[in-house]
């Protein structure tokens, strides 16, 4: 009986270790690497990966490498949106929106889209309606471009090579080479902008929200109609946004 409990605990620990490691990696990971990093025999790693794939926690890509699956995405989103965390995030977002006078949102990556998980509306009669739950393309929004830019370069190039780069507005990047140059510049700055690339007449800026290991897991953005402000003015809000992003990182 005692042996069985230990074996069960060991198996659960291994499963959680695999889920944690795959979730934290910035690129797909191989079973061999998981075996080495977690000190788990290769046959056990393969068996556990198959079970996790069956339950939609993980999935295998076309190269036989492992990435988070849809069920793991749903769990992480549920945790992020739980009331205990949301109240503090809303307070930080509302304070930021009041200080800079524009709508502020948090976006999280969902495959090839960014989803707005939190939002604080600026107190203006004219605003652009992008409510919580809205999904936007990664290639033409400030948050999406920043997400792509902060990927490891090899993975960034691979992802961009398979993006449609569909024109959404007058300034959408539709040329792959120019878009990669844009992302490289964003990676250098550590912040991003949308100059009427997603919606004609809208500008936006974004900064990353990082976890305790310094990895970006969500993105703080502010957007406004150009009839009220311009991109140069909105950039002035970046220091306040970086401060709020640090608070949001601690509040998660």
């Amino acid at each position: 009986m005692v042996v069985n409990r230990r074996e069960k605990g060991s198996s659960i620990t291994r499963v959680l270790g695999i889920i944690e490691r795959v979730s934290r990696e910035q690129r797909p990971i191989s079973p061999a690497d998981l075996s080495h990093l977690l000190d788990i025999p290769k046959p056990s790693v393969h068996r556990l990966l198959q079970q996790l794939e069956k339950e939609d926690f993980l999935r295998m890509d076309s190269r036989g490498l492992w990435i988070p699956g849809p069920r793991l995405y749903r769990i992480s989103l549920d945790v992020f949106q739980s009331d205990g965390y949301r109240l503090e995030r809303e307070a930080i977002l509302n304070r930021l929106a009041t200080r800079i006078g524009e709508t502020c949102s948090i976006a999280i990556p969902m495959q090839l889209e960014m989803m707005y998980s939190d939002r604080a509306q600026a107190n203006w009669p004219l605003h652009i309606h992008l409510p919580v739950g809205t999904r936007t393309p990664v290639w033409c929004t400030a948050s999406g471009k920043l997400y792509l830019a902060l990927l490891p370069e090899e993975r960034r190039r691979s992802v961009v090579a398979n993006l449609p780069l569909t024109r959404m507005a007058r300034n959408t990047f539709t040329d792959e080479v120019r878009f990669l140059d844009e992302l490289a510049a964003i990676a250098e700055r550590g912040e991003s902008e949308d100059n009427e690339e997603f919606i004609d007449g809208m500008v936006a800026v974004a900064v990353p929200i990082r976890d305790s290991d310094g990895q970006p897991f969500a993105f703080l953005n502010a957007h406004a109609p150009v009839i009220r402000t311009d991109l140069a003015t909105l950039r002035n809000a970046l220091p306040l946004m970086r401060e709020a992003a640090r608070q949001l990182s601690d509040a998660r």
Side-chain angles (χ1 to χ4, degrees), residues 26-29 33 61 63 65 147-163 176 180 183-184 187:
Q26 288 293 296
R27 55 176 61 83
I29 189 169
D33 285 340
D61 69 10
R63 298 173 295 168
L65 304 178
Y147 165 59
L148 293 175
L150 296 181
L151 293 174
E153 184 176 359
E154 180 182 350
R155 188 178 178 202
R156 182 200 310 161
R157 289 182 175 276
S158 176
V159 172
V160 170
N162 291 285
L163 287 176
E176 182 180 326
L180 285 170
L183 296 181

Side-chain angles (χ1 to χ4, degrees), residues 16 49 61 65 106 125 128 142 152 203 231-232:
L16 293 175
L49 286 172
D61 69 10
L65 304 178
I106 295 174
I128 296 168
V203 291
L231 191 54

Side-chain angles (χ1 to χ4, degrees), residues 139 145 148-150 153 156-157 160-161 165 173-193 197:
W139 66 88
K145 289 163 60 183
L148 293 175
L150 296 181
E153 184 176 359
R156 182 200 310 161
R157 289 182 175 276
V160 170
L165 297 184
F173 283 89
T174 57
D175 178 80
E176 182 180 326
V177 174
R178 290 187 61 234
F179 188 53
L180 285 170
D181 288 343
E182 167 78 355
L183 296 181
I186 290 171
E188 285 286 328
R189 299 195 306 269
E191 55 203 27
S192 181
E193 57 190 41
E197 298 164 46

Side-chain angles (χ1 to χ4, degrees), residues 67-121:
I67 58 177
R71 191 170 178 184
L72 190 54
Y73 273 109
R74 288 196 298 271
I75 290 173
S76 63
L77 181 59
D78 287 343
V79 171
F80 190 71
Q81 293 183 316
S82 64
D83 287 342
Y85 297 101
R86 179 180 288 277
L87 290 176
E88 192 169 356
R89 289 203 309 272
E90 287 183 351
I92 294 168
L93 273 183
N94 277 292
R95 182 169 183 264
L96 178 64
T98 298
R99 293 179 75 183
I100 69 177
E102 298 298 347
T103 296
C104 299
S105 305
I106 295 174
I108 56 177
M110 299 288 288
Q111 305 299 333
L112 295 181
E113 296 178 313
M114 303 298 292
M115 192 194 79
Y116 287 92
S117 64
D118 300 83
R119 176 181 172 87
Q121 183 71 55

Side-chain angles (χ1 to χ4, degrees), residues 204-217:
V205 292
V207 297
I209 303 171
R210 298 181 182 273
D211 62 20
S212 57
D213 294 323
Q215 298 298 325
F217 68 93

